[in-house]
Structures are given as structure tokens and as C-alpha cells.
Amino acid sequence: GLGRGPLRVCLAMMADKDHEGFIRALGLGPEDHVATVPLETPRAASSGSLAEAARRACGAEVQAFDRLLPALAWLGSRLPAGTLLVTGSFYHLAAARRLLRRTS
């Protein structure tokens, strides 16, 4: 684990990456939540396939989304509040940073 309180993970990855291995390395448990989203590229993993990998790799609550904004809203609504972690791809991080700057 990361030695922290609950994590709210927003995850998007390319299709050719080790999804389960990456998710296992996060050390997520039942107090954590994972929202998966697709990247806007043909090389991206689908949010559904990422969600299935997350369910196999960890005990967190997992939900697949088609778009980033609803995924972030769902993570923000989870209780107790936790730390938001946007991860999996630099493309995903850049998109989330742009969106979070516009909505804050």
C-alpha cells in the first residue's frame, strides 16, 4: 500500500500495458475506489477491460465510465473522502489536469 487513507483512483491505460500488474502494484483495498476511463486514441484499453482487470487485481470498488468528467464526479462522491490519484498514462494525466483546472 501507499501508507495513506482511502484512494480514489482514476485510471486509463494503453491496451498493450500490464493492467493487472500495474493495479496490483497500487496495493488497493476495500476502502479504495477505482474509476476507469478510455483514452482518446485507438491504442487505448477500453474502460470495461480496465475495470475487469481492476476487479481481478484488487479489492476496491470499481466502476467503468465512458468519459473523464463523470468518472471524477463519481470518485468525488465516494465516502469517506480520500486522495485523488490520476494514473496509468501521461495522456490521461494531461487530460485530467486540463479538466480539473477548468472546473476548480
Side-chain angles (χ1 to χ4, degrees):
L2 299 173
R4 41 63 185 163
L7 275 182
R8 306 297 175 247
V9 179
C10 190
L11 177 67
M13 297 179 74
M14 294 296 183
D16 63 348
K17 303 303 178 192
D18 177 8
H19 304 147
E20 287 187 45
F22 183 89
I23 295 162
R24 267 195 299 278
L26 295 175
L28 301 173
E31 71 281 3
D32 302 314
H33 294 80
V34 178
T36 61
V37 295
L39 294 167
E40 294 183 16
T41 174
R43 295 179 36 229
S46 72
S47 59
S49 66
L50 284 174
E52 288 304 315
R55 289 183 186 108
R56 288 190 299 268
C58 72
E61 183 180 349
V62 179
Q63 182 72 37
F65 291 88
D66 292 332
R67 294 187 347 266
L68 182 55
L69 187 57
L72 292 173
W74 179 77
L75 290 170
S77 72
R78 303 298 91 189
L79 294 174
T83 300
L84 176 63
L85 174 63
V86 177
T87 190
S89 164
F90 286 120
Y91 299 104
H92 178 49
L93 180 58
R97 287 184 72 184
R98 283 191 302 272
L99 182 62
L100 291 168
R101 282 186 181 146
R102 283 199 311 263
T103 60
S104 60

